[in-house]
Amino acid sequence: MKNGKVITLTRENFDEEVINSSDVVLVDFWAPWCGPCRAIGPIIDELAEEYDGKAKIAKLNVDDEGELAAKYKIMSIPTIIIFKNGEAVEKLLGARSKSDLSQLIDKHM
């Protein structure tokens, strides 16, 4: 499911969208009750527009997808993980600026 250009990840589509993808994928692990998560929501949306066709931008609700959150050892949110060729290559904790996230994506492209 896509919210604009942001991919909403679930256990059903995670492998297809992230693990089996040759694209760089930014995954925002978040929850609706998390203030900092909501604060970076618009940044995630903007990145999805800007990187459309170049990298995937996705969100995973940790309340709905606890197994995946546990698999990637998500202890606090927001946590951003960059995947490349299905491997987690970088992990950031906490809300970050748009430029920080852009630099992170560019570094792995």
Side-chain angles (χ1 to χ4, degrees), residues 6 41-51 98:
V6 177
I43 293 171
I44 299 297
D45 293 340
E46 287 172 29
L47 290 171
E49 289 291 331
E50 288 171 26
Y51 285 92
K98 184 177 172 186

Side-chain angles (χ1 to χ4, degrees), residues 10-74:
T10 63
R11 63 178 106 21
E12 287 80 23
N13 71 356
F14 191 85
D15 284 358
E16 175 192 343
E17 296 286 2
V18 180
I19 303 303
N20 300 332
S21 177
S22 58
D23 294 325
V24 170
V25 186
L26 178 150
V27 180
D28 173 20
F29 290 83
W30 75 291
W33 48 263
C34 162
C37 299
R38 289 199 312 273
I40 65 166
I43 293 171
I44 299 297
D45 293 340
E46 287 172 29
L47 290 171
E49 289 291 331
E50 288 171 26
Y51 285 92
D52 188 32
K54 295 181 278 192
K56 291 183 181 181
I57 309 297
K59 295 178 80 144
L60 186 137
N61 183 326
V62 297
D63 288 346
D64 295 343
E65 302 298 338
E67 278 176 42
L68 283 168
K71 180 178 179 182
Y72 290 100
K73 299 177 175 52
I74 304 304

Side-chain angles (χ1 to χ4, degrees), residues 72-91:
Y72 290 100
K73 299 177 175 52
I74 304 304
M75 299 299 178
S76 64
I77 52 174
T79 293
I80 306 281
I81 299 182
I82 301 287
F83 290 85
K84 185 170 186 176
N85 298 320
E87 295 289 317
V89 291
E90 195 130 0
K91 186 174 186 175

